Amino acid sequence: MRHPIRVLTLLIATPAVAASIELPVFGSLTRHGFSPDGLHFLIGDEEGQCAVLNTRTGYAEIVDDCAAVERKLKVSPSTVSRTSPDGKAKAEVALVRQSEGRWKENVYLPGASSGAQLLIERDGKKTVSAEWRSSLVSLDVYWSADGQKVAWVGRSTHFGGMDGSHDLTIVTGSTGPRVRLVAEKSLLGKVAENASVALEAKGLGPGFIGKALKARDATVIYFAPGYEEMARVAAQAVPGGASTEKLTWPAAAELVVALGKAAAGGKP
Amino acid sequence: MKHVAMVCGLLGAWEAEAETWVKAFTKDSSSVLYLSTAADESGTAVVTVVDLHTGATQEFEASFPEDPGAARLNGLSPALDAWLKKHPTVPAAKSRTSPDGKASVEVSAGDAASRGVWEGGSWKAIGEAGWELQVVRDGKRAAAAVCGGGASITAYWSPDGQRTVWVVSHGALTMRDPGYEEVIVGTDGTPSVALLAPNKARLPSAEKLIEGFEKAGFPVVRASAAKKERAESVVFVAATADAERGKRLAAAVPGGATIERLDWPSPHPFVVALGTRALAP
């Protein structure tokens, strides 16, 4: 019997950055792995509940009938590995170093926001795959079969519940630059999917798809410093083409694809 | 509204997506009330009442206030209004200092792990990764609660000064990412106690013993059902906890209790697993 408070976990859904979710674990983990296309990561405990994360849209949910979802998504068991399936990339953790904080009234502001960058190192170059926003006690790394997606499964505290449970945080990320795709609501279905598939073919698949602040006619690829060339590749790949512009806001991504109606042939 | 129990909880902690405002305590210091607004565009808000002794929660769906930070609890929901009539509250004070002025709150990252080691596909922190939420009294620091680190921590005192409530904010990564926040119930620096009833059905009976423990100086911040039922009570004492205090706690259990080493990662230094005999009529 699960603790009643934990039922509320079921309500956790779309994150604002990438696929991320908390899973209360009872007993040991009995299933964990990616779907063959790397689009989904699933992890569950012996009580049959599991977390399912969509590595493209960022949607994450807790499901009760884990076995059925596992069958439907054709999830194959994965083993933890620091190294990518092709052996050419490896996972790395960079913790945020703490320094003395200060108080303002009853608010404590630490010297640095607690957390870590979860990195992928390839050819000596490190890229951010995902970010961790609390303390980090332990972390397991799972790779999709094509090596394009990574699931980071960690704990932010070693404490467990009186019922023998503990909470896991699962975050999925890319192994290349982080790409966010945003579009007006009418483009978030098939049009966004087609754009995602095109970007994935270039190794620039999005890890989050969400609603844009405004509708636009033409697609724009916003890029972080050092990612202009990749932005050009993305611009050529997106249906209907795109222009590129510098990213000027904190996006937790190296590329932001702001999809316009052009991606749908000019029609919303 | 999206809430989820967090492990660092077990002192009593809940996670709320988007922003959280601790609004009030009941005058008798039995509960804290906080308002949370949803991260999505649903325009919903929830007022959560947390029992400071058991960790039990009650939620009231509320209308979204124009200014959540400044909003009063009255008028947000008819059901909440009715509850507030029966349970008078006082606003939560924005102060580090205890109501009697003799203690203050502090945060220590302590030896928070700054590095880790890889073992195959697993990474493990070297050292203690969590943060300690502390109370400083007479120059001495004592743990009130523990938690994973965050981007900021806001602290409140219950009116009787026996509980501290902490809101740990985990930073936003983007403009539209609200981050998430945890609400944690801690003690006044006195080592916390978790109470386990023999089973779920006996939980209400077990909760009736909390007042006695409190009067004896043992603050109970969590009450739940044990994994297994036992006839005789056991007090589990952490290796780092005061053994003599453990003995006194065992003596305070109705019918007495044996003492065993607490050998699982509990945030509470003392866990009282009540036996069925302790609750016998």
Side-chain angles (χ1 to χ4, degrees):
Chain A
M1 185 66 194
R2 288 173 189 273
H3 192 286
I5 294 170
R6 291 175 187 277
V7 174
L8 297 164
T9 308
L10 302 175
L11 297 172
I12 282 281
T14 4
V17 180
S20 168
I21 200 164
E22 297 277 343
L23 175 71
V25 174
F26 292 76
S28 54
L29 292 171
T30 53
R31 36 173 68 89
H32 35 72
F34 277 93
S35 56
D37 57 9
L39 259 184
H40 293 91
F41 179 74
L42 176 150
I43 187 163
D45 64 17
E46 57 192 36
E47 283 201 1
Q49 197 178 62
C50 64
V52 184
L53 299 91
N54 185 313
T55 61
R56 179 192 282 166
T57 64
Y59 184 81
E61 62 180 338
I62 303 284
V63 297
D64 282 326
D65 193 357
C66 194
V69 177
E70 189 178 29
R71 281 194 301 274
K72 186 181 169 192
L73 297 175
K74 299 188 172 81
V75 171
S76 4
S78 305
T79 51
V80 293
S81 171
R82 187 183 178 189
T83 314
S84 62
D86 66 3
K88 293 180 179 173
K90 69 173 182 177
E92 191 55 89
V93 174
L95 293 168
V96 175
R97 295 186 74 83
Q98 275 308 317
S99 56
E100 200 64 26
R102 63 189 170 87
W103 284 90
K104 189 180 175 188
E105 287 188 317
N106 60 331
V107 182
Y108 176 78
L109 300 161
S113 179
S114 186
Q117 284 192 322
L118 310 179
L119 307 159
I120 299 296
E121 185 177 342
R122 191 188 297 271
D123 300 328
K125 191 184 173 191
K126 290 177 182 172
T127 53
V128 178
S129 170
E131 294 188 65
W132 192 267
R133 291 189 277 187
S134 186
S135 303
L136 185 58
V137 170
S138 62
L139 192 71
D140 288 339
V141 186
Y142 299 88
W143 299 75
S144 62
D146 62 5
Q148 300 249 334
K149 300 288 183 182
V150 180
W152 308 84
V153 180
R155 294 182 65 174
S156 55
T157 165
H158 66 275
F159 295 122
M162 294 298 121
D163 52 8
S165 68
H166 64 272
D167 281 359
L168 285 181
T169 300
I170 305 111
V171 185
T172 58
S174 59
T175 58
R178 293 169 298 171
V179 180
R180 289 165 58 84
L181 190 152
V182 294
E184 65 175 287
K185 203 175 174 184
S186 65
L187 300 177
L188 284 176
K190 196 68 188 168
V191 178
E193 188 184 338
N194 289 343
S196 301
V197 171
L199 290 164
E200 282 160 7
K202 299 290 181 188
L204 298 172
F208 170 84
I209 296 178
K211 201 173 155 198
L213 285 174
K214 64 170 187 179
R216 64 185 78 228
D217 292 328
T219 300
V220 181
I221 314 286
Y222 295 93
F223 59 90
Y227 288 87
E228 189 169 2
E229 188 49 44
M230 283 192 182
R232 282 199 200 100
V233 172
Q236 286 171 0
V238 171
S243 59
T244 60
E245 286 184 28
K246 282 182 183 171
L247 191 52
T248 55
W249 67 92
E254 282 66 56
L255 297 180
V256 175
V257 179
L259 214 56
K261 293 185 183 80
K267 295 170 189 168
Chain B
M1 193 57 242
K2 295 151 186 175
H3 289 179
V4 58
M6 292 291 287
V7 196
C8 66
L10 314 176
L11 287 179
W14 296 265
E15 180 181 320
E17 246 179 82
E19 291 185 271
T20 300
W21 292 269
V22 171
K23 288 289 182 184
F25 289 88
T26 51
K27 276 186 179 171
D28 63 3
S29 292
S30 63
S31 301
V32 62
L33 292 87
Y34 66 86
L35 170 71
S36 308
T37 52
D40 55 27
E41 296 163 344
S42 61
T44 56
V46 169
V47 174
T48 304
V49 180
V50 182
D51 187 306
L52 296 175
H53 301 286
T54 66
T57 60
Q58 189 177 356
E59 290 190 337
F60 297 93
E61 281 197 23
S63 57
F64 198 95
E66 214 165 272
D67 180 356
R72 294 169 58 89
L73 292 172
N74 295 89
L76 294 177
S77 137
L80 177 61
D81 286 347
W83 190 93
L84 290 170
K85 265 189 183 174
K86 289 182 187 168
H87 305 85
T89 60
V90 290
K94 291 182 179 176
S95 172
R96 279 180 73 188
T97 311
S98 60
D100 67 2
K102 293 180 178 172
S104 66
V105 290
E106 189 54 270
V107 174
S108 172
D111 62 345
S114 58
R115 61 198 176 98
V117 61
W118 284 94
E119 292 170 7
S122 300
W123 179 94
K124 286 181 175 55
I126 297 172
E128 177 56 62
W131 289 11
E132 196 169 84
L133 308 175
Q134 302 172 328
V135 168
V136 185
R137 197 184 301 274
D138 299 328
K140 291 179 184 167
R141 292 181 178 219
V146 287
C147 195
S152 72
I153 297 175
T154 309
Y156 302 86
W157 286 87
S158 63
D160 65 2
Q162 293 190 5
R163 293 289 185 276
T164 45
V165 174
W166 313 73
V167 180
V168 183
S169 300
H170 297 273
L173 296 177
T174 70
M175 279 188 345
R176 284 187 286 162
D177 169 23
Y180 64 98
E181 297 186 327
E182 295 166 64
V183 179
I184 300 168
V185 175
T187 66
D188 62 351
T190 308
S192 61
V193 176
L195 189 66
L196 298 177
N199 54 52
K200 205 175 172 185
R202 308 295 292 273
L203 189 53
S205 307
E207 287 174 359
K208 288 178 183 164
L209 301 180
I210 290 176
E211 194 179 343
F213 286 118
E214 294 278 346
K215 280 181 179 165
F218 301 104
V220 177
V221 293
R222 190 78 174 170
S224 57
K227 279 176 78 178
K228 66 169 188 180
E229 190 170 304
R230 44 175 63 80
E232 306 295 341
S233 300
V234 179
V235 171
F236 293 95
V237 181
T240 52
D242 178 355
E244 283 305 312
R245 187 173 177 79
K247 286 179 189 171
R248 292 197 299 276
L249 175 57
V253 176
T258 57
I259 294 174
E260 291 183 27
R261 173 65 58 87
L262 201 165
D263 60 359
W264 68 92
S266 161
H268 311 287
F270 299 100
V271 176
V272 177
L274 291 170
T276 48
R277 286 186 201 170
L279 300 174

